[in-house]
Amino acid sequence: MRRRTAALAATMTAAFVATTLVSVQDVSASAAPATGGGYPCRGYGLMNYSNPVTDLDQDRFTWNTFKRTKVGNGMHDINWKLDPYRQDSWKTLFHTLNWTGAYIDKSTRGITKLRDPKAIDKALVITQDWVRDNKYPWPTGPGAGNATHTRADFMMCLRDGLAELGRPAPKWLDASLLQHAEWLKKNTWKDHNVGTEQTLAVLGVGCTLGRRDHVTYGVGKLSADITRVIDSQGANNEQAVGYARYNYALWGYVGNALTGCNISTPAARTIQSRRAGLQTFLDFALKPDGTYQQLGDTQIERPQGELTPAAQWITSDGKAGAPPAQRVKIYNAGYVFGRSGWGTRGRTQSQESAYALRFGPLRAGHGHSDHTAITWNTQGRSILADTGTGSYNQDAWRLHYIGPEAHNQLVVAGMRNGSATKLVRSKIADKADFYQFSDTPYLKTNRSRSIIVLSDPDIVVAFDKATSYKPTTFTQYWHLPYDVSLRTSGTRATASKGNVTTTLLQLPAAGAKQAPFGQVKGSTKPIQGWQWTDYFHKYKAPVATVTQKGASAAMVTAIVAAPGSTPVAVKPVISGSTTTYTFTVGSKTAVVTLDGKGTLTRVR
């Protein structure tokens, strides 16, 4: 009996993007399974729980927040053309067949005397109905096409269930599995989780049916893909923390398949090594509240499964596990993860400051146009937030939340995906981390950002400069959590929640101008001022804006987080090309200089 593995998060099974076809390599002589049948059933994406047998008997399908839908005539004659919500993910999950998994469970799992050996026959009827009504070759792209690899995995679980009951697989099922393998080989998505899933399913079909050609293809391609999907530092190529977590689990499934199918390949060691690096990446992407930074297509998520010592330390607020040795990690793929500390120097872990910065190559995969943007948590709260991620439907909402205006950065009117962004220099110092970035985000426009993150007191100072070949509009966006109320008054803005107050300050500088804060919340024309906690829940959220017009712009903004009604003041002094800022936050003081090269330095 094959081991059933827990499914990847159900809401992520509709993920999009992929991997290139490559020649076979790193496949040993024993790549083909000795006996076949060792490919692990990967489960049903938890859909066997949300679609109980009582619903299946009435041909009703349920997914996530969408209402239970009648999809057949009650006799398992299903209308596979249904798309009632015009929602790509709903359609994808419908065509995976995973929602019929409870029938297989009813025949093979639980207390023996309560099992129904014939329940699996109903899953067979629905599966055969799909095969009959969906003629090969099948469509590609969003919707049904994305379901093909998951449907192949489901069919192998169905076949496995029959084997547990001592029943042979029908010929039409094996014939359809071979069609699935051929389709997947011809339609593999490039360099992304869907491509890995597709190739893994091809390997599974070869392992299950004893087809050496499919196994050799699958092993060779996975061997080539692993070093592109996860780089040598452990960063994932999909530009999203949520999908880094997804790929960590997915490549674990690849390792399980190689073991289950008795495949020996040098790639197994590479997979193990790269996954270890990716796990470290995920540890540093954790905020003090135990959730991941919402970078790219990422919901508010927490670690799952067995935790590393670092993850234990964070999620237990320093009561278990152990903190990493480093305070800051910089990844060439375009990430900076830093924090004031790990709760070992007079401040609890959950009260520490943590920030994330983005730079690197062009937006790809599940990435957003967030280069130079910062997210920041401190004193137990989110201070500068990311907009988050909504539905994958290709509509105006998705265009917004992946776009530059949805992130904490300077935006030049008209820029969309931006360009590659360089980390020009950085300096990590006690209680003061400095970074400078530069890029050409739009036509003949140049942009630079200098940013320093201070702790004790907790302050972020950002200096943005941009030039354009023609007069245009430059806007800074500062996205605040949806649960705060923003108040603006000229060059000062404040937002409070609980015992923490955020103060935003527009500051003068040599060569820079001050401008008043504006604000927007819950706008639909244009879309602005929203925050998604997951794919299906969005909330009106305040955004502070600073706008300058002309052929160039330069602005300095400070964000201060302090307890309650702590007084916040700043005294700027301009001397030549250098500006000195003396911040007073209650009884604490910090002095920062900004020089003509854009260097921000904490001098006290």
Side-chain angles (χ1 to χ4, degrees), residues 40 51 55 110 129 178 376 392 414-415 453 459 472 527 549 558 565:
N51 291 271
D55 280 1
D129 184 73
L178 291 173
W376 184 41
Y392 285 111
M415 66 180 273
V453 184
I459 303 171
T472 188
I527 296 173
K549 295 185 177 182
S565 58

Side-chain angles (χ1 to χ4, degrees), residues 165-188:
L165 296 168
R167 297 172 54 181
K171 292 182 179 180
W172 62 263
L173 181 60
D174 286 356
S176 183
L177 276 171
L178 291 173
Q179 282 186 327
H180 277 70
E182 291 299 333
W183 187 96
L184 291 167
K185 289 165 72 172
K186 294 175 183 177
N187 294 281
T188 304

Side-chain angles (χ1 to χ4, degrees), residues 234-247:
N236 177 231
N237 69 329
E238 298 197 56
Q239 299 183 0
V241 172
Y243 280 86
R245 184 178 69 80
Y246 186 89
N247 274 281

Side-chain angles (χ1 to χ4, degrees), residues 339-536:
R339 58 187 68 218
S340 55
W342 294 100
T344 59
R345 297 193 305 174
R347 196 175 186 180
T348 65
Q349 190 285 138
S350 60
Q351 293 295 311
E352 294 278 17
S353 169
Y355 61 90
L357 295 161
R358 284 282 287 122
F359 65 102
L362 279 168
R363 188 184 76 81
H366 286 281
H368 292 181
S369 297
D370 56 1
H371 285 184
T372 75
I374 181 173
T375 58
W376 184 41
N377 278 60
T378 192
Q379 301 186 34
R381 278 199 53 75
S382 171
I383 304 299
L384 296 175
D386 188 271
T387 295
T389 296
S391 165
Y392 285 111
N393 278 2
Q394 302 301 306
D395 56 18
W397 289 100
R398 179 162 176 79
L399 187 64
H400 166 69
Y401 72 68
I402 68 174
E405 295 88 353
H407 303 92
N408 301 313
Q409 62 180 320
L410 178 70
V411 176
V412 183
M415 66 180 273
R416 292 310 309 162
N417 287 336
S419 65
T421 301
K422 294 181 181 179
L423 173 57
V424 178
R425 54 200 174 115
S426 63
K427 182 179 181 181
I428 312 304
D430 185 41
K431 299 182 180 181
D433 300 337
F434 166 72
Y435 307 91
Q436 187 175 54
F437 306 95
S438 69
D439 58 18
T440 304
Y442 180 63
L443 298 176
K444 299 176 183 178
T445 299
N446 296 312
R447 183 178 67 155
S448 68
R449 165 166 278 191
S450 297
I451 196 161
I452 191 168
V453 184
L454 279 59
S455 60
D456 191 30
D458 296 333
I459 303 171
V460 169
V461 182
F463 173 47
D464 285 319
K465 290 181 64 176
T467 59
S468 173
Y469 71 100
K470 66 176 183 178
T472 188
T473 301
F474 305 88
T475 305
Q476 264 189 353
Y477 291 91
W478 299 106
H479 294 262
L480 304 173
Y482 70 88
D483 60 355
V484 305
S485 296
L486 176 66
R487 297 172 299 282
T488 62
S489 178
T491 57
R492 188 182 186 103
T494 57
S496 298
K497 179 66 177 179
N499 192 39
V500 180
T501 297
T502 301
T503 303
L504 296 93
L505 302 163
Q506 261 285 292
L507 303 176
K513 297 181 296 183
Q514 287 177 279
F517 283 104
Q519 67 167 301
V520 61
K521 180 177 181 179
S523 171
T524 57
K525 292 182 180 180
I527 296 173
Q528 184 57 273
W530 299 89
Q531 186 180 10
W532 282 260
T533 55
D534 58 44
Y535 299 136
F536 305 102

Side-chain angles (χ1 to χ4, degrees), residues 55-127:
D55 280 1
L56 298 180
D57 284 343
Q58 300 177 61
D59 289 339
R60 295 186 183 277
F61 167 58
T62 303
W63 178 61
N64 214 293
T65 60
F66 295 98
K67 292 181 179 179
R68 186 172 56 176
T69 304
K70 183 81 170 178
V71 296
N73 65 354
M75 301 294 291
H76 303 323
D77 183 6
I78 309 299
N79 180 1
W80 299 105
K81 295 180 180 180
L82 287 174
D83 188 10
Y85 303 104
R86 298 294 185 267
Q87 224 287 339
D88 291 341
S89 296
W90 187 95
K91 189 175 180 181
T92 296
L93 273 293
F94 178 45
H95 279 260
T96 64
L97 303 181
N98 268 343
W99 54 281
T100 67
Y103 275 145
I104 303 175
D105 284 350
K106 183 68 175 176
S107 290
T108 60
R109 300 182 71 184
I111 301 172
T112 302
K113 66 180 181 180
L114 298 180
R115 294 179 188 172
D116 178 5
K118 295 184 179 180
I120 199 171
D121 291 327
K122 298 176 182 179
L124 277 168
V125 170
I126 294 174
T127 303

